[in-house]
Every structure is written in structure tokens, then in C-alpha cells.
Amino acid sequence: MSKLQEQVINTFHYLHEHAEISWEESETTKYIASILKDNGCEVTTFDDCTGVIGAYGNFNSNLPVVAIRADMDALWQEVNGTFQPNHSCGHDAHMAMVLGLLWKLEENPSLKNNIAIKFIFQPAEEQGAGALKMVGKGGLDQVDYLFGIHLRPQEETAMGHATPVIIHGATTVYEVEITGHDAHAARPHLNVNAIEVIAEIVNLLGNIHLNPRIPYSAKMTNVHAGGKSTNIIPGHAIFAIDMRAQDNQVMDELEKKVEEILEAMHQLYDVKVAITHKEKIPAAETNREAIQIMEKAAVSVLGREHVDPPLITPGGDDFHFYTIKRPDLKATMLGLGCDLKPGLHHPNMTFNEKALMNGVAILYAAVKEVYGV
């Protein structure tokens, strides 16, 4: 095992064992900032949020600026019976690979004067809010190219393979509250049962029909109603609805249908049904030049036969806010095959750690492709 590979794997394990959830990645920020400083980066952190940006290379020239983004946050998840921060989406691996790129650049100091790289370590991807925060903090100032990387499940991308672009769908989450009053279980005529309202909503979500040629879904993912007493009919409940659509137009239609259902429940049951919180992540907007650069890089590392076509997936990523806010940005996200199973967000997700160096090598090749070095 090379020294670089050992560094990357050890860093991955450290980050996995010290997972932090969205907006609480304070120790992760300090850890990353220290590594960036020790390896020649000008480092920027923030007083009002987590996240860190490192500038590496020559920014006093007309060189194009390449940004490399890694997401930092873990999920709050039950693992073996205990709720805890858990990196089941691979963000620990993404950080380790992006740091691996920095270390690989440091192994070749002659490159430093001929490149201009921004390392963006972004918080709160799982809440769909961190990318927008980094844009507001100037993370994309001067940036011409933006590259990301994400581990892929084995059913999407095989070990030793990669795809030069992940075409994520749009994601919207509504948190909804039903506000009523409780009643005795022997007197169901005295209130509206919030659980029955929720059941009706679940049924109606399954009856939404949009263009079948474009994948979409709407489903309830979280419900809280009632308390410890089993002889009370709950009038109050909170729940979440997760919506997915492969393009932004269909997502707009899906949101309208869901909102009509919620309004219908209000009218039918004469109970308040209100959306209390919304999270929305747009579908990918792709860039041909960035994809071609990443494809060449992947071919140079893995060989043509191991580079897959563009990957279309219903999953979402707030990476795409960067291109929504900066339409001129040349951006793509590399999908890395790594024998990941049973799947992303599974509490016991595992992958083949040997794939980490494939990610480092492809990102390095993409940087060299941009600068022709």
C-alpha cells in the first residue's frame, strides 16, 4: 500500500468514526481546515456556519479556476439499536478522496504554479441547504469548473467502473402538521382522528398520475401521532412527504398535486393541514464540456471499457444548486463504482475501500485535463 493510499484510507476511517450531522460539522471543519493549511492552502472558515474552503495554486494569473466539492454531513440514523450520526451516504469517503487529490497535487509541486484549485468542503447536503450557503459565502467566486464525486450502489455502477456524470432527479420534502384536538376513544364523534386523515392522504398520494415517461414518486416517510395513552383519539399529528421527479417541470406538477390533496383534506375534514417546512433540491443541469473532461479522466485511469454512460438516478443532491445559481458554470459529478451495498442510507452500508484511490486518480486526471499539464 502506498503512503498516499494509507493516508486516504486512514482519513476515511477517522471521518467515519467522527461523524457529525448537518450544520453540526464543527470538529470535521476544524480537522479539514488543519489538513488544508498544512498542505499549502489559503483557508477560509465562517463564524455563522460550518464548512471550509481551501484555495490552492496560482490565483494571480488568468488561469481558469477549478473547484472540487465534497459534502461533510452525516445522517441521524438508528444503527444497531442506537440513534447516532452515521455516514451511510459516503460523505466520509468523498472528503477523504478530495483530500487525497490535494495530497497527490502536493506530491507534484511543479504543478502548483500552473493550477488554481478551490477545495469546497460543504455542510448540510442532507438538508439540501449547504450548497446555497457556500454560494452565499463566495465559494464560487472566480470558479469556472466544478467537479464533485459520489459513491454509487453496486446495482448502478460496478466496482472498478465510473460514470462521468450523475443525472440526479429533483427532490422536494414537505413537513406537514395537522392541528386539531384530542377526544376520548369511546367518543369518536367529538373530534377528527388525525390518523384517519393521514391514511386518506397516503391513499391519495398513490393515486397521483403524471406523465408515465418521466419517473416520479410521492410517499409519506415520517409520521408522529398520539402519545402513550391508547384510549385517546389524536387530533394532532405531524408527517413528512418525500417527492421525487426526474426533471424540474414534473416536480412542479407533483408539488401542485400534493398541495391540492392537503387542501382537500382541510376542506373535507374541517381541520387545519399546514405545510410547516419545505426542502427542495433541483434536478441536474448538465454541461457537455465538464462531462467530456471527466470522461477523458476516467478513461485514462480505468480504461474505456470501465467508463459507463451517464447515470440517471432518482436520488437528489444539492450539488445542482451550484449550476442553478451559476448557469455558466461547467460542472459535473463523477459517479464511482465501489461495490457499495446494501445501498445508500442503509445504516450498515459498506463499500470496497480500494475504490477510494480510483476516485483520487480520476479527480487528479480531470484537473490535469483542464490545465493541459
Side-chain angles (χ1 to χ4, degrees), residues 104-214:
K104 193 167 181 66
L105 291 171
E106 278 285 88
E107 290 180 349
N108 299 274
S110 61
L111 293 176
K112 192 169 184 179
N113 199 48
N114 298 302
I115 60 175
I117 310 293
K118 274 191 173 183
F119 294 97
I120 301 175
F121 288 86
Q122 176 211 302
E125 188 279 327
E126 296 294 352
Q127 291 192 3
L132 291 172
K133 177 66 79 171
M134 291 296 100
V135 171
K137 294 295 185 181
L140 291 184
D141 293 355
Q142 300 179 278
V143 172
D144 301 288
Y145 297 87
L146 174 66
F147 299 139
I149 188 167
H150 207 298
L151 305 183
R152 302 317 304 163
Q154 59 181 354
E155 65 267 22
E156 289 186 353
T157 310
M159 175 64 189
H161 285 238
T163 176
V165 58
I166 306 172
I167 305 177
H168 288 103
T171 302
T172 299
V173 175
Y174 287 172
E175 294 179 10
V176 186
E177 184 171 16
I178 298 172
T179 304
H181 60 270
D182 294 347
H184 194 288
R187 298 171 180 83
H189 63 294
L190 295 181
N191 83 330
V192 173
N193 189 334
I195 295 174
E196 293 177 356
V197 177
I198 288 171
E200 185 72 15
I201 292 170
V202 170
N203 183 56
L204 291 171
L205 290 176
N207 289 326
I208 293 175
H209 300 294
L210 302 176
N211 184 348
R213 298 176 61 193
I214 301 172

Side-chain angles (χ1 to χ4, degrees), residues 145-147 164-165 286-296 329-333 366:
Y145 297 87
L146 174 66
F147 299 139
V165 58
T286 60
N287 179 269
R288 181 181 296 272
E289 182 181 345
I291 294 169
Q292 289 175 340
I293 289 169
M294 193 61 74
E295 183 176 14
K296 289 179 181 178
L329 193 65
K330 300 167 185 177
T332 192
M333 179 179 283

Side-chain angles (χ1 to χ4, degrees), residues 60-282:
N60 298 314
S61 65
N62 293 322
L63 290 169
V65 176
V66 175
I68 312 291
R69 176 267 207 170
D71 30 21
M72 302 169 65
D73 54 329
L75 293 155
W76 182 254
Q77 193 168 36
E78 186 176 6
V79 183
N80 300 324
T82 302
F83 277 93
Q84 63 185 61
N86 186 41
H87 272 303
S88 58
C89 200
H91 297 185
D92 44 2
H94 305 162
M95 289 184 282
M97 287 186 285
V98 172
L99 288 172
L101 169 62
L102 172 60
W103 289 321
K104 193 167 181 66
L105 291 171
E106 278 285 88
E107 290 180 349
N108 299 274
S110 61
L111 293 176
K112 192 169 184 179
N113 199 48
N114 298 302
I115 60 175
I117 310 293
K118 274 191 173 183
F119 294 97
I120 301 175
F121 288 86
Q122 176 211 302
E125 188 279 327
E126 296 294 352
Q127 291 192 3
L132 291 172
K133 177 66 79 171
M134 291 296 100
V135 171
K137 294 295 185 181
L140 291 184
D141 293 355
Q142 300 179 278
V143 172
D144 301 288
Y145 297 87
L146 174 66
F147 299 139
I149 188 167
H150 207 298
L151 305 183
R152 302 317 304 163
Q154 59 181 354
E155 65 267 22
E156 289 186 353
T157 310
M159 175 64 189
H161 285 238
T163 176
V165 58
I166 306 172
I167 305 177
H168 288 103
T171 302
T172 299
V173 175
Y174 287 172
E175 294 179 10
V176 186
E177 184 171 16
I178 298 172
T179 304
H181 60 270
D182 294 347
H184 194 288
R187 298 171 180 83
H189 63 294
L190 295 181
N191 83 330
V192 173
N193 189 334
I195 295 174
E196 293 177 356
V197 177
I198 288 171
E200 185 72 15
I201 292 170
V202 170
N203 183 56
L204 291 171
L205 290 176
N207 289 326
I208 293 175
H209 300 294
L210 302 176
N211 184 348
R213 298 176 61 193
I214 301 172
Y216 66 91
S217 69
K219 81 291 290 183
M220 200 170 290
T221 56
N222 192 316
V223 176
H224 295 278
K228 292 183 178 181
S229 299
T230 58
N231 62 346
I232 294 175
I233 301 170
H236 180 269
I238 56 175
F239 60 90
I241 297 174
D242 177 282
M243 291 167 270
R244 307 275 166 159
Q246 203 55 53
D247 70 32
N248 293 315
Q249 180 179 348
V250 171
M251 176 56 77
D252 291 340
E253 296 173 12
L254 186 57
E255 288 179 18
K256 184 173 183 292
K257 292 285 189 181
V258 170
E259 290 174 13
E260 287 172 351
I261 289 171
L262 299 180
E263 176 60 24
M265 294 301 97
H266 165 65
Q267 297 294 334
L268 179 62
Y269 290 102
D270 192 26
V271 64
K272 184 177 180 182
V273 183
I275 299 170
T276 58
H277 181 71
K278 296 182 181 181
E279 295 177 11
K280 184 167 183 173
I281 298 174

